[in-house]
Amino acid sequence: MFPACRYSIQGVEMERFADEADVVIVGGGPAGLSAAIRLKQLANEQEKELRVCLVEKASQIGAHTLSGACLEPSALIELFPDWKERGAPLNTPVTEDLFSILTKKHRIPVPMLPGLPMNNHGNYIVRLGHFVRWLGEQAEELGVEIYPGYAAAEVLFHEDGSVKGIATNDVGIAKDGSPKDVFERGMELHAKVTLFGEGCHGHLAKQLYQRFNLRENCEPQTYAIGLKELWVIDEKKWRPGRIEHSVGWPLDRNTYGGSFLYHLNEGEPLVALGFVIGLDYTNPYLSPFREFQRWKHHPFIAKTLEGGDRIAYGARALNEGGYQSLPKVTFPGGMLIGCSPGFMNVPKIKGTHTAMKSGMLAAEAIFPKVTAEDPASETTGFHIPEYEENLKKSWIWKELYSVRNIRPSFHNYFGLYGGMLYTGVFYWIFRGKEPWTLKHAGLDSAQLKPAKECLPIEYPKPDGKLSFDLLSSVALSGTNHEGDQPPHLTLKDDSVPVARNLAIYDGPEQRFCPAGVYEYVPLETGEGMRLQINAQNCVHCKTCDIKDPSQNINWVVPEGSGGPAYNGM
Amino acid sequence: MSRVLVGVKRVIDYAVKVRVKPDHSGVVTDGVKHSMNPFCEIAVEEAVKLKEKKLFKEVVAVSCGPAQATETIRTALAMGCDRGIHVEVTGKDYESLGPLQVSKIFAALAKKEEASLVILGKQAIDDDCNQTGQMTAALLDWPQGTFASEVEIEGDKVKVVREIDGGLETIKINMPAVVTADLRLNTPRYATLPNIMKAKKKKIANMKPADLGVDIVSRLEVLRVDEPPTRLAGVKVETVDDLVAKLKESGTI
């Protein structure tokens, strides 16, 4: 299975310091923080003691958060009815909602009728990183112990197989696996229940699915990659509150994806824009990063960005599986919350409100159990199936059920246009009440066609004004890792990249990684190539772990504090 | 005579791309990733090592700045310092806080805490001033061992090996003294989670510069901050004559 250690240490003290909490939460995103906040709200209301510890791999809360984002405030209002007084950074109500189908030179506007899933009346454009930072401040005020800069690297188990907690990673290991002078073992955090809120495609969740067979009755998760930039634009072009979405060019009708461009209203003329591509794409020559860069040259987009300055860049994978891909979310000793199991409403392109709600439901199910005199759990780590039952009764479930057929409807000969037709008829008119449930196409990693069956794509060179090269983009993410540590992008079999990925698929990882981590370079001596892994560039998007056609790349968490330094992304 | 004072500064993390504020009054810091100045980490490590060798009884970490400075002090405590002092400076005062004011604060604290040794990083990576250690020593009229790559206590004296342009210089100075840490002095230890948890129980005293009798009014006014000009591509020429012609054209010769 997955080894807990990527290395072995001779002659070093292997005992770990351990501490106990009532609840441990892995991941300081909307789901994890909402769960923590709800737990403490209940504890304070009922005057009960509750130790809640949250660990987050980013150096500060919000630094690894990346999203469009357009927030539906429903869950926030439930969590904090007084969110406005508390200063939640929801500064940009949506004022205008535009949807376009792009062709190479033109734009076909599509009316945003009320009732269509993309309609955004009542929502806010937010910088999710700042919103998450604010949630972190609220959580700390309520007494949650938050530890940013510490990555949960290992799940711990009791003798009866239930989850006991987590351990943070050992630090001070050199690239070759040997201990440096500053080597120190990670720490164990034990809890009655451990919540896993790692976001899309969490590395610990991956292990839990296998161990507890959580995916036996659902379809595999399907994903997309989202790339994003922040631009300061010419004030004359700024329309605060305006939302723009597009589909079509530069993607062909059989590649799922589209763009977003949101005008923020926080003082300076800032726009958040980006491109999302379904990871079920079939052409190994496709580069999501370069599609994003060339989309910006479309006349309708370029006119907004001309004269502006790019100030940030980042990327992250997101879930698209929705209802069909939901796994079991409770198991002895733990639960899965947020984008990790995956509650994103794909046609709405919103997952924050459902992630928050799942965290809150988890907290409400846990609280009576961990504060009860007699916990009545058959396993040492608490198994709390009430969480899953409550999820199924909640608005999350209804919402995801009603949009379940939209994404899979894309898998037809007409691709995008078939999907839009389906949405128009079945969602807009019937609200997803049709009795059938369409299936997804299967694992994203299995969708690539061999390179010889596909045409390479001619991408234009970046012009340095609207479009940019990969490395200068990665620099803007602020990503960095301690250089002298074992690479956290591990290969199950070192020979597979050249033998399979390069030979059959022309090395697609060189193209789908938005951070330039993977490069096929000639061997120093003799003929042939090797895969060079520039782990320091990694922005923790998880795309490689998802899309590798050989499923040979296994993303594990690097030393805490490493990774991007997003500010309000 | 058994206390070491260590200064730690909270700076924008070195891997972050810095952006100038739209009004050109400074750089954007809100929400930007910050961390302890790398040379301060080395200073803390040295101080803690000296305490572990039982040459000193107590290490006190000091930082000047707004509320977030306590996070930096907390990291120093997790690395092994015993207690912290947060000298609160906020808003416009913080924007104009420079080496002269900080060294006045450190000098006052060194006297108040009866420190035998003050260890600072040689410079901060945001302003690159390389002045605070030297000014602090001057205000206290104490000897200074700057750019230290080796520090050894010999009785009531400190032997410092300094990295200088010509190579290495070894000096011996009397304590109390100021030492500033250079890159090769040591490799700082990690602030591990159990130590961060323990550090939450260590004390951080809070005070204002006025409490130390220090006036932090700046004698410098920043007029404008700009990005460095974009580097233009060079021009290649075929012959020496072309080169001379181009140089004449640009008015260089």
Side-chain angles (χ1 to χ4, degrees):
Chain A
M1 236 243 306
F2 302 104
C5 288
R6 299 174 262 150
Y7 47 84
S8 62
I9 309 270
Q10 301 274 11
V12 174
E13 177 60 59
M14 295 304 262
E15 263 296 321
R16 279 190 290 218
F17 181 77
D19 203 357
E20 305 273 334
D22 291 296
V23 182
V24 163
I25 301 176
V26 175
L33 289 168
S34 299
I37 288 169
R38 195 76 196 102
L39 280 167
K40 276 311 225 176
Q41 283 177 338
L42 289 165
N44 294 344
E45 267 168 45
Q46 301 184 27
E47 289 174 355
K48 293 226 164 103
E49 292 281 319
L50 194 71
R51 187 175 183 206
V52 180
C53 289
L54 186 150
V55 288
E56 162 58 48
K57 63 175 164 59
S59 57
Q60 54 195 50
I61 300 287
H64 287 185
T65 300
L66 183 141
S67 183
C70 192
L71 180 70
E72 204 182 278
S74 49
L76 175 62
I77 295 169
E78 283 184 36
L79 189 63
F80 286 119
D82 58 343
W83 58 266
K84 230 191 197 126
E85 289 76 28
R86 285 173 177 265
L90 273 64
N91 303 313
T92 311
V94 175
T95 56
E96 253 189 291
D97 212 337
L98 277 78
F99 194 91
S100 326
I101 302 179
L102 297 181
T103 63
K104 188 151 189 212
K105 291 206 161 50
H106 303 288
R107 164 188 175 245
I108 306 165
V110 174
M112 261 300 104
L113 306 166
L116 277 174
M118 303 278 278
N119 185 284
N120 275 300
H121 184 71
N123 298 332
Y124 292 84
I125 303 172
V126 295
R127 295 176 71 170
L128 194 62
H130 287 168
F131 178 68
V132 167
R133 178 179 65 173
W134 174 83
L135 279 176
E137 289 162 9
Q138 306 310 304
E140 279 199 303
E141 257 177 58
L142 286 165
V144 178
E145 288 176 54
I146 300 191
Y147 298 108
Y150 296 99
E154 195 186 325
V155 184
L156 304 168
F157 298 94
H158 289 288
E159 289 210 353
D160 65 2
S162 59
V163 171
K164 185 178 179 186
I166 54 99
T168 59
N169 47 14
D170 300 344
V171 290
I173 304 150
K175 249 198 169 104
D176 61 5
S178 60
K180 298 191 277 197
D181 287 329
V182 287
F183 174 82
E184 282 209 49
R185 283 236 76 191
M187 164 178 172
E188 295 189 10
L189 269 174
H190 301 164
K192 297 174 185 156
V193 189
T194 307
L195 269 63
F196 293 87
E198 299 170 283
C200 175
H201 205 75
H203 78 110
L204 293 180
K206 201 173 160 183
Q207 299 175 33
L208 293 166
Y209 291 143
Q210 281 223 346
R211 179 137 183 160
F212 292 106
N213 230 347
L214 303 172
R215 301 203 74 97
E216 59 186 343
N217 291 322
C218 67
E219 288 191 43
Q221 185 61 262
T222 66
Y223 302 89
I225 178 176
L227 301 105
K228 176 180 174 179
E229 289 174 356
L230 283 178
W231 281 64
V232 177
I233 57 172
D234 184 343
E235 218 174 315
K236 296 194 273 302
K237 312 197 178 167
W238 185 38
R239 305 275 177 275
R242 178 195 259 200
I243 291 212
E244 294 174 30
H245 289 121
S246 81
V247 291
W249 191 84
L251 299 177
D252 65 38
R253 68 165 196 270
N254 287 312
T255 304
Y256 186 84
S259 75
F260 65 90
L261 199 155
Y262 302 154
H263 293 246
L264 287 153
N265 191 3
E266 299 192 350
E268 46 172 356
L270 202 62
V271 295
L273 60 138
F275 210 78
V276 175
I277 300 189
L279 285 177
D280 58 346
Y281 70 81
T282 55
N283 186 345
Y285 292 108
L286 191 137
S287 161
F289 173 77
R290 301 192 80 172
E291 297 289 351
F292 174 35
Q293 295 303 315
R294 74 166 163 173
W295 162 78
K296 285 186 277 171
H297 283 281
H298 187 279
F300 185 63
I301 313 299
K303 72 173 201 274
T304 304
L305 298 180
E306 252 139 31
D309 272 308
R310 183 178 74 153
I311 62 167
Y313 165 84
R316 183 72 170 92
L318 46 134
N319 313 291
E320 298 218 313
Y323 179 81
Q324 293 89 322
S325 302
L326 282 171
K328 262 178 93 319
V329 292
T330 66
F331 42 90
M335 305 179 164
L336 296 167
I337 56 176
C339 277
S340 181
F343 299 109
M344 200 178 105
N345 180 328
V346 177
K348 260 193 193 176
I349 36 174
K350 289 182 182 59
T352 310
H353 63 308
T354 47
M356 288 175 70
K357 181 66 175 170
S358 72
M360 290 155 67
L361 288 170
E364 285 158 7
I366 292 172
F367 185 75
K369 300 284 162 119
V370 294
T371 49
E373 294 297 319
D374 170 22
S377 172
E378 319 110 27
T379 49
T380 320
F382 291 13
H383 186 195
I384 307 179
E386 284 82 347
Y387 164 51
E388 187 152 352
E389 292 160 20
N390 292 344
L391 265 178
K392 294 192 171 145
K393 296 189 214 136
S394 74
W395 51 258
I396 298 181
W397 217 256
K398 288 194 198 58
E399 201 178 307
L400 291 181
Y401 185 77
S402 72
V403 298
R404 72 196 181 287
N405 285 326
I406 296 183
R407 177 65 173 94
S409 73
F410 188 82
H411 295 295
N412 64 80
Y413 180 73
F414 296 103
L416 166 68
Y417 305 109
M420 290 182 72
L421 191 65
Y422 187 95
T423 307
V425 174
F426 288 98
Y427 185 79
W428 195 52
I429 302 176
F430 294 112
R431 284 276 174 277
K433 289 194 172 63
E434 65 272 30
W436 56 82
T437 297
L438 298 174
K439 282 178 123 68
H440 295 302
L443 277 174
D444 286 334
S445 54
Q447 303 304 317
L448 277 183
K449 296 204 180 106
K452 64 183 196 288
E453 290 175 27
C454 304
L455 283 172
I457 303 177
E458 271 282 327
Y459 288 107
K461 273 186 80 165
D463 72 345
K465 292 206 220 19
L466 287 173
S467 53
F468 301 90
D469 65 294
L470 186 58
L471 289 180
S472 64
S473 308
V474 177
L476 276 182
S477 69
T479 194
N480 197 23
H481 295 86
E482 161 59 51
D484 193 13
Q485 66 172 305
H488 64 280
L489 299 134
T490 64
L491 301 173
K492 292 185 203 158
D493 181 335
D494 283 329
S495 63
V496 165
V498 172
R500 201 159 180 271
N501 287 26
L502 186 60
I504 305 176
Y505 302 101
D506 197 49
E509 56 271 59
Q510 303 170 89
R511 297 184 196 93
F512 60 56
C513 173
V517 169
Y518 300 99
E519 275 184 280
Y520 281 96
V521 295
L523 287 166
E524 272 92 45
T525 51
E527 292 278 311
M529 309 283 266
R530 65 177 179 89
L531 178 64
Q532 176 165 288
I533 299 181
N534 306 314
Q536 263 183 292
N537 288 11
C538 180
V539 293
H540 297 206
C541 76
K542 315 293 175 72
T543 301
C544 55
D545 195 305
I546 295 166
K547 190 58 174 169
D548 177 6
S550 310
Q551 286 292 279
N552 189 39
I553 298 173
N554 187 31
W555 191 99
V556 300
V557 75
E559 273 180 19
S561 273
Y566 297 143
N567 179 8
M569 282 290 260
Chain B
M1 284 275 276
S2 225
R3 194 168 288 136
V4 182
L5 210 67
V6 179
V8 293
K9 186 177 181 187
R10 180 175 180 264
V11 296
I12 295 180
D13 185 87
Y14 72 92
V16 169
K17 253 224 142 96
V18 170
R19 182 163 83 101
V20 174
K21 281 196 205 158
D23 64 1
H24 293 273
S25 63
V27 298
V28 177
T29 54
D30 183 42
V32 174
K33 177 178 176 186
H34 283 66
S35 35
M36 190 190 292
N37 182 39
F39 295 108
C40 299
E41 287 182 337
I42 297 173
V44 170
E45 175 64 26
E46 197 61 23
V48 172
K49 272 198 165 69
L50 290 172
K51 187 185 95 158
E52 286 170 345
K53 290 192 193 140
K54 304 230 190 301
L55 295 162
F56 292 92
K57 282 225 191 73
E58 197 187 32
V59 181
V60 182
V62 182
S63 193
C64 306
Q68 297 99 317
T70 55
E71 289 162 22
T72 313
I73 300 174
R74 200 66 74 186
T75 307
L77 295 174
M79 287 171 74
C81 298
D82 299 290
R83 61 184 164 88
I85 299 177
H86 172 213
V87 181
E88 213 178 321
V89 182
T90 56
K92 284 263 171 295
D93 287 335
Y94 182 59
E95 279 168 35
S96 64
L97 191 69
L100 182 57
Q101 301 106 306
V102 173
S103 40
K104 287 181 182 171
I105 293 171
F106 280 165
L109 278 171
K111 280 199 232 148
K112 181 166 182 271
E113 295 286 336
E114 294 177 338
S116 333
L117 198 59
V118 174
I119 311 185
L120 306 176
K122 71 169 178 177
Q123 67 198 58
I125 61 169
D126 51 6
D127 54 22
D128 273 347
C129 282
N130 191 339
Q131 295 165 356
T132 307
Q134 293 87 334
M135 286 179 171
T136 308
L139 288 166
L140 289 164
D141 199 23
W142 287 6
Q144 54 183 262
T146 54
F147 310 107
S149 65
E150 241 183 86
V151 170
E152 250 186 72
I153 309 290
E154 295 181 357
D156 59 350
K157 297 195 205 297
V158 191
K159 188 176 92 173
V160 180
V161 177
R162 306 181 57 232
E163 299 208 5
I164 60 173
D165 287 346
L168 298 171
E169 177 190 65
T170 308
I171 60 171
K172 205 184 262 192
I173 53 180
N174 295 323
M175 281 202 279
V178 175
V179 168
T180 71
D182 207 328
L183 193 63
R184 279 159 280 271
L185 180 56
N186 59 49
T187 306
R189 66 195 64 187
Y190 286 84
T192 57
L193 185 54
N195 289 328
I196 285 276
M197 287 177 165
K198 286 187 203 142
K200 292 212 166 175
K201 302 197 183 82
K202 294 185 182 175
K203 282 203 177 5
I204 300 181
N206 187 293
M207 59 185 73
K208 301 236 170 40
D211 301 334
L212 297 164
V214 172
D215 167 24
I216 55 164
V217 164
S218 176
R219 283 152 176 70
L220 298 173
E221 189 196 331
V222 172
L223 297 176
R224 195 180 157 92
V225 177
D226 282 302
E227 299 225 344
T230 338
R231 216 168 145 209
L232 295 165
V235 177
K236 274 192 184 160
V237 294
E238 298 292 305
T239 67
V240 175
D241 290 326
D242 285 345
L243 176 61
V244 172
K246 276 233 150 33
L247 287 172
K248 283 192 174 153
E249 218 181 278
S250 72
T252 316
I253 53 170

